[in-house]
Amino acid sequence: MPTESISIITDAGHTLTGSLELPTGLVRGAALFAHCFTCTKQSRAAVSVARALAGEGIACLRFDFTGLGDSEGEFGRAGFATDVADLVAAAEALLERFMQPILLVGHSLGGAAVLAAADDLGFDKVAAIATIGAPSDVPHVLQRIEGDIEAIHRDGEGTVTIGGRDFALSRDFLEKVENIDLLEEVGRLKRPLLFLHSPTDAVVGIENASALFGAARHPKSFVSLDGADHLLLDDADARFAAGVIAAWASRYLPMRDDWPLPAEGVVAKTGHGKFGTEVHTTNHRFIADEPRSYGGDDTGPTPYDLLNAALGTCTAMTMKMYADRKGWPLEGVTVEVTHEREHATHCDHAEAMAEGKQMQALHRRITVHGEALDAEQRERIIAIADKCPVHRTLEGELHVHTESAD
């Protein structure tokens, strides 16, 4: 996916760094991802979810909270309220760019932060909210801190260890975490909610998901991340969570009205990738792209893949239709198609080509399936392949007419 570097200035004057994952085709909406406690925008969950959403046409911004990753500020003096303020600043940047309500997604404490930020942001700016392994009790995070919390309350500051890393925490940080009633805030939310949680989460227990789900209003959904660890370190778990969120979000970020399907033919529109192009037919949408070896993002078939597919699919359909009409026991066909650019060097009829005109070829290899078919039936089914409409179009007198739509 194309990735754009983003800088966000907070009300406190800090610069937050982010990565905006863009669809290779057109954008139908935007999402904001909040990472877990002391993680960064490079966490496995952040990257997987952001790119999965981009694959569904939803631009997704993942960023580093104050004092983490590449963002400015002091983590040890920030606290939960600062995380919420960071989210609001990042969300406002997305809203200004994409001009429509956004999806909020948060992992672990980031999940608690997006639930709290929705109220501050304004419900009219939020399309839906999804959380992964979120705590229902924000002070719960203090249980994961190795250090003398009481000494910090007494002395005003102290060094602790979180996830194997040392941090200097202030009394203000602890007080900002301790004074949050998240369940009360969740009860006020009037937006669709999705809670994903592992029943074997050893960091934030499954009872947290139960509490959040119970406090939330409908529409609300719960998905069990069976067997997953809290940080989604297994790629399969991260991809599953990302896929679920992307599919669920499509209901609340519908296709834009300015993307009409054509009344006839095909419409191709360039997207955000170097070559990524959205293709609209009268009933379908998909992405065409180029492989990474050609500088593309490999998010869809290439134009020549589509050309080969046109011949292959039309051939298969024609052969099946013919066999069905005859009542023959055809079980199916497999059509393999490849494209050859320099066909003139491999054939004996190149002299017939006009001077300076390139000779290309499509090679078609067909396997007919059906043990009950006799030799004559197989031969006639193979012969009908040359009668498929796309084959006739490609070998006929084909002209391409171009005009400006301006």
Side-chain angles (χ1 to χ4, degrees):
M1 300 294 172
T3 304
E4 181 181 324
S5 296
I6 298 288
S7 294
I8 303 148
I9 306 299
T10 69
D11 290 342
H14 300 143
T15 298
L16 308 178
T17 63
S19 297
L20 181 64
E21 301 289 349
L22 289 162
T24 50
L26 303 179
V27 175
R28 78 160 184 238
L32 179 62
F33 187 94
H35 61 70
C36 55
F37 188 45
T38 72
C39 294
T40 71
K41 66 180 181 295
Q42 298 302 118
S43 72
R44 186 158 297 172
V47 175
S48 293
V49 171
R51 291 181 177 172
L53 289 171
E56 296 296 324
I58 302 170
C60 186
L61 173 62
R62 48 189 174 90
F63 73 100
D64 293 325
F65 281 118
T66 293
L68 294 172
D70 297 319
S71 289
E72 296 177 348
E74 292 184 62
F75 169 80
R77 297 186 179 277
F80 187 75
T82 301
D83 289 351
V84 173
D86 289 350
L87 275 165
V88 171
E92 292 289 359
L94 281 180
L95 288 161
E96 182 179 355
R97 175 163 176 171
F98 295 102
M99 304 295 290
Q100 65 185 91
I102 64 173
L103 169 70
L104 299 179
V105 184
H107 181 204
S108 191
L109 188 63
V114 298
L115 292 170
D119 193 14
D120 292 352
L121 191 59
F123 299 137
D124 59 323
K125 299 178 180 180
V126 179
I129 307 166
T131 68
I132 306 168
S136 60
D137 178 26
V138 174
H140 173 277
V141 302
L142 299 181
Q143 300 174 18
R144 313 306 303 178
I145 295 176
E146 299 176 22
D148 193 339
I149 301 298
E150 291 302 321
I152 296 175
H153 274 296
R154 183 185 66 247
D155 301 334
E157 189 169 341
T159 300
V160 299
T161 301
I162 308 172
R165 297 165 59 195
D166 291 337
F167 293 93
L169 291 191
S170 67
R171 180 191 298 123
D172 189 42
F173 178 99
L174 298 180
E175 290 175 350
K176 287 178 180 178
V177 171
E178 291 168 340
N179 295 327
I180 298 295
D181 187 346
L182 186 62
L183 292 180
E184 181 182 344
E185 299 210 28
V186 169
R188 294 198 300 267
L189 295 179
K190 299 177 182 179
R191 281 293 175 264
L193 291 162
L194 171 64
F195 302 103
L196 297 96
H197 213 110
S198 170
T200 56
D201 191 327
V203 177
V204 179
I206 189 65
E207 67 276 5
N208 287 268
S210 299
L212 289 170
F213 190 84
R217 300 181 181 186
H218 285 291
K220 56 184 178 179
S221 304
F222 172 77
V223 174
S224 176
L225 300 177
D226 188 24
D229 67 284
H230 181 68
L231 293 178
L232 300 185
L233 294 178
D234 188 310
D235 282 334
D237 293 331
R239 288 195 302 270
F240 174 74
V244 168
I245 294 172
W248 174 81
S250 64
R251 186 175 186 87
Y252 304 107
L253 292 173
M255 205 65 72
R256 289 167 41 153
D257 292 336
D258 59 351
W259 291 12
L261 295 172
E264 61 178 346
V266 167
V267 172
K269 295 184 179 183
T270 54
H272 290 275
K274 183 175 182 180
F275 296 114
T277 303
E278 188 106 6
V279 181
H280 297 185
T281 73
T282 55
N283 291 300
H284 303 283
R285 294 179 173 93
F286 61 91
I287 299 291
D289 203 349
E290 290 287 358
R292 297 186 187 280
S293 58
Y294 277 74
D297 293 286
D298 197 25
T299 56
T302 71
Y304 276 102
D305 288 337
L306 297 176
L307 175 65
N308 293 347
L311 178 61
T313 54
C314 187
T315 298
M317 293 175 188
T318 300
M319 296 170 76
K320 186 177 186 304
M321 182 175 62
Y322 178 75
D324 288 347
R325 187 182 300 145
K326 293 290 187 179
W328 292 346
L330 175 68
E331 296 176 4
V333 297
T334 300
V335 184
E336 302 169 64
V337 183
T338 57
H339 173 246
E340 181 187 4
R341 293 182 182 275
E342 301 293 338
H343 183 59
T345 59
H346 301 102
C347 69
D348 56 6
H349 51 273
E351 297 82 4
M353 295 295 297
E355 185 176 350
K357 191 172 183 180
Q358 184 183 28
M359 178 180 286
Q360 301 186 48
L362 295 177
H363 296 276
R364 182 172 53 190
R365 185 171 183 267
I366 301 172
T367 303
V368 176
H369 307 287
E371 294 184 2
L373 292 168
D374 60 35
E376 182 181 356
Q377 289 171 333
R378 288 176 176 274
E379 184 178 347
R380 290 174 63 182
I381 290 172
I382 290 288
I384 203 68
D386 289 344
K387 305 296 184 183
C388 94
V390 170
H391 183 133
R392 288 181 169 183
T393 298
L394 293 171
E395 287 200 330
E397 188 72 21
L398 179 63
H399 294 255
V400 177
H401 300 276
T402 303
E403 61 179 283
S404 172
D406 297 329

